[in-house]
Amino acid sequence: LKRIFSTREMVYLVIAFAAVYLIWGSTYLGIKYAIQTIPSFIMAPVRVLVAGAVLFTVGRFSKGYQRPTRENWKASFILGAFLLGIGNGGVVVAEHYLSSGLTALLIATNPFWIVLITWLFMGKGRPNSKVVLGLLVGFAGVMMLIVGRSEEAHAGQWLGVGLVMLSTLGWAIGSLYGAKAPIPKGLMTAAGMQMLAGGSILFAISLLAGEWATFDISAVSRSSLIALAYLIVIGAIVAYTAYSWLMQNASPAAVSTYAYVNPAIAVILGWLIAGESLT
């Protein structure tokens, strides 16, 4: 029985890592198309709120559902603020100034934040030589992809880079908090609550930014709608659920390695579909 359980857990790990590695690598291009005709802070909360409502509803009617407590909702809003408000919101705005490929490449700094915060501020997980070597090799690969991308050099680039750095820091903090946060029992319920909380924060930002007052739904293109649907169903419901499960069942350092695979996927898709340069 122990061997069967271990094998099943390994299968779950492989599937979850594959979803986070491959699907999230494609979402950068999806965001690029979605925000072409949909304002950033309208697209982002709609994506997250719809996905969150679906997941929470599925969790509500699943076997073993337990009503979330006040502590569960508090943790969900903290996670939603860091992972979706700062993490996802920063990336969405940054892609107005950066290509989808370069945005994904910059996200590769996330493992450094994970390891450093765990070690310096949480007092544990001091990186050994293998972890340091892994980070350096991964970062070297990312730098090889970034070198030569001179077409990105324009005035808004540094704003985009700053937003991505902020989003990676927010995502790292949220991920580490989520590993021990008092989230409710049930993966669907927990992921849905985080999305509903994060989506509410993003929606409030969209109101403050005044985007809804000038939004013309008739101006939304078909490609943006298809991209939004993909981001909701595949990028949010499937991949975010897999990520939430991984943060509870694998080490933060291991989970953060998605940031090394996503850039390769994003750069290839950006070149293949959107005509972004591949030097």
Side-chain angles (χ1 to χ4, degrees):
L1 287 176
K2 184 177 181 181
R3 181 177 299 176
I4 293 174
F5 180 77
S6 299
T7 302
R8 182 182 298 176
E9 286 292 311
M10 184 59 66
V11 171
Y12 290 161
L13 282 170
V14 170
I15 293 174
F17 269 111
V20 172
Y21 279 175
L22 302 178
I23 292 174
W24 270 356
S26 68
T27 57
Y28 294 95
L29 184 60
I31 291 172
K32 195 72 175 180
Y33 277 108
I35 62 176
Q36 283 181 346
T37 57
I38 306 175
S40 300
F41 284 107
I42 290 181
M43 187 282 290
V46 168
R47 170 195 179 188
V48 175
L49 287 172
V50 172
V54 171
L55 287 173
F56 186 79
T57 301
V58 172
R60 171 64 182 82
F61 293 100
S62 298
K63 184 179 180 180
Y65 169 79
Q66 293 181 358
R67 185 175 181 178
T69 65
R70 181 178 297 180
E71 287 297 315
N72 294 153
W73 278 110
K74 180 180 178 181
S76 295
F77 269 93
I78 294 174
L79 284 168
F82 281 107
L83 293 178
L84 300 170
I86 298 175
N88 183 255
V91 168
V92 170
V93 178
E95 288 207 37
H96 282 290
Y97 308 99
L98 306 173
S99 68
S100 62
L102 182 56
T103 302
L105 293 173
L106 294 172
I107 293 292
T109 57
N110 186 62
F112 287 90
W113 290 118
I114 292 284
V115 172
L116 289 177
I117 293 173
T118 303
W119 174 34
L120 298 178
F121 296 99
M122 300 177 67
K124 57 183 179 180
R126 180 175 180 174
N128 57 35
S129 58
K130 291 182 179 180
V131 172
V132 173
L133 179 62
L135 290 173
L136 292 177
V137 169
F139 190 71
V142 171
M143 289 304 298
M144 289 176 65
L145 294 174
I146 293 177
V147 169
R149 300 180 66 88
S150 59
E151 79 282 356
E152 298 291 347
H154 53 77
Q157 180 186 19
W158 292 111
L159 175 59
V161 170
L163 287 170
V164 174
M165 293 298 98
L166 178 63
S167 71
T168 55
L169 178 58
W171 191 270
I173 294 173
S175 297
L176 292 172
Y177 173 77
K180 300 295 182 181
I183 61 175
K185 182 181 179 181
L187 182 61
M188 297 292 186
T189 303
M193 288 172 62
Q194 292 168 29
M195 288 188 178
L196 289 173
S200 299
I201 295 171
L202 289 168
F203 182 74
I205 295 174
S206 72
L207 292 177
L208 292 173
E211 290 189 343
W212 287 97
T214 58
F215 177 54
D216 181 9
I217 193 171
S218 64
V220 177
S221 67
R222 182 181 179 183
S223 60
S224 289
L225 287 175
I226 293 174
L228 178 59
Y230 178 82
L231 291 171
I232 291 173
V233 178
I234 307 300
I237 294 177
V238 176
Y240 189 84
T241 303
Y243 182 79
S244 298
W245 184 85
L246 283 174
M247 288 308 300
Q248 297 291 321
N249 293 275
S251 70
V255 178
S256 70
T257 57
Y258 76 87
Y260 284 155
V261 183
N262 287 174
I265 303 297
V267 168
I268 292 172
L269 290 178
W271 164 71
L272 189 64
I273 298 175
E276 297 178 356
S277 67
L278 181 61
T279 62

